[in-house]
Amino acid sequence: MKKRIAFRTMGANSTHKWAMLRGLVTSLVVHERIVTTVAKAKEMQRLSENMITTAKKTDKLHARRLINKFIYTKHAQAKLMHVLGPRYQFREGGYTRVMKLAKPKMKDKSDMAVIEYVDRPGEIRAARPPAAFQNLSLEEVMEKLGIKDEAVVLDGDDQVQEAVLVGKEDKP
């Protein structure tokens, strides 16, 4: 009886499996949605969520070094630290979603899935808001995020006629 098995083998030795998973996670960070098999998607979901959690940490130097060990490209490393980490600052987990596709792969009939990040523009299905924002009004959410309200003057047709920052005067 096999016990304490942490990962699926996916028909490959460990070096090939880890290289494949690192490449998939790097592609997910760059493109924010990829199509792969269900088994690969479930494995990389754990790893990509760990990378987001690492990017959210307060010790940025240590987090960057941990991410550099796992993510291949510099562009993906920077996106993870500067875009995805702050995006999920108030979400406590569940950064990715795996959805099975209806049709299997043509060659070997393996089940296919889409894995994507939640709370992003163009997502397939809208995610529930983070627990910290579920019972708050829009003003309270903006205050919690640190977004200052700007005074916007609207005409009768609800089009922006003039935007004036609060506390600043227009220059002639």
Side-chain angles (χ1 to χ4, degrees):
M1 178 184 295
K2 293 183 179 181
K3 295 184 179 182
R4 302 179 119 201
I5 298 174
F7 291 97
R8 294 171 176 87
T9 58
M10 291 187 279
N13 59 13
S14 64
T15 56
H16 175 72
K17 177 185 70 173
W18 282 107
M20 178 180 54
L21 288 174
R22 286 176 64 194
L24 285 171
V25 171
T26 302
S27 295
L28 181 65
V29 169
V30 171
H31 301 291
E32 296 192 12
R33 177 193 302 157
I34 60 172
V35 177
T36 184
T37 63
V38 174
K40 289 176 188 173
K42 286 181 180 179
E43 285 300 316
M44 67 178 282
Q45 183 178 23
R46 283 176 34 181
L47 299 172
S48 63
E49 292 199 3
N50 285 342
M51 289 292 109
I52 296 285
T53 304
T54 304
K56 287 172 39 176
K57 294 197 185 224
T58 55
D59 185 7
K60 293 296 182 184
L61 179 62
H62 183 61
R64 178 173 292 280
R65 288 180 177 165
L66 289 174
I67 288 170
N68 289 349
K69 287 180 182 179
F70 197 81
I71 302 293
Y72 282 129
T73 63
K74 298 286 183 192
H75 170 57
Q77 294 165 0
K79 184 175 181 180
L80 196 55
M81 291 296 292
H82 300 297
V83 176
L84 297 177
R87 182 191 296 172
Y88 299 113
Q89 178 183 5
F90 294 103
R91 188 173 282 277
E92 295 176 358
Y95 314 116
T96 58
R97 169 189 305 129
V98 175
M99 293 180 290
K100 289 185 180 180
L101 295 177
K103 291 187 177 181
K105 197 190 303 186
M106 288 298 293
K107 291 185 178 183
D108 61 355
K109 301 296 183 195
S110 60
D111 292 332
M112 299 297 288
V114 172
I115 181 167
E116 69 174 355
Y117 286 118
V118 298
D119 291 340
R120 68 176 193 86
E123 64 183 330
I124 295 174
R125 182 178 58 184
R128 282 182 279 169
F133 297 150
Q134 282 188 352
N135 297 324
L136 299 178
S137 67
L138 179 63
E139 292 81 18
E140 294 169 337
V141 170
M142 289 177 61
E143 179 182 328
K144 196 167 189 176
L145 290 174
I147 300 172
K148 300 213 179 204
D149 193 15
E150 297 178 356
V152 177
V153 179
L154 300 174
D155 63 6
D157 295 347
D158 291 335
Q159 295 189 4
V160 177
Q161 186 180 40
E162 179 182 356
V164 180
L165 294 175
V166 174
K168 299 203 176 199
E169 297 179 10
D170 289 335
K171 295 181 181 178

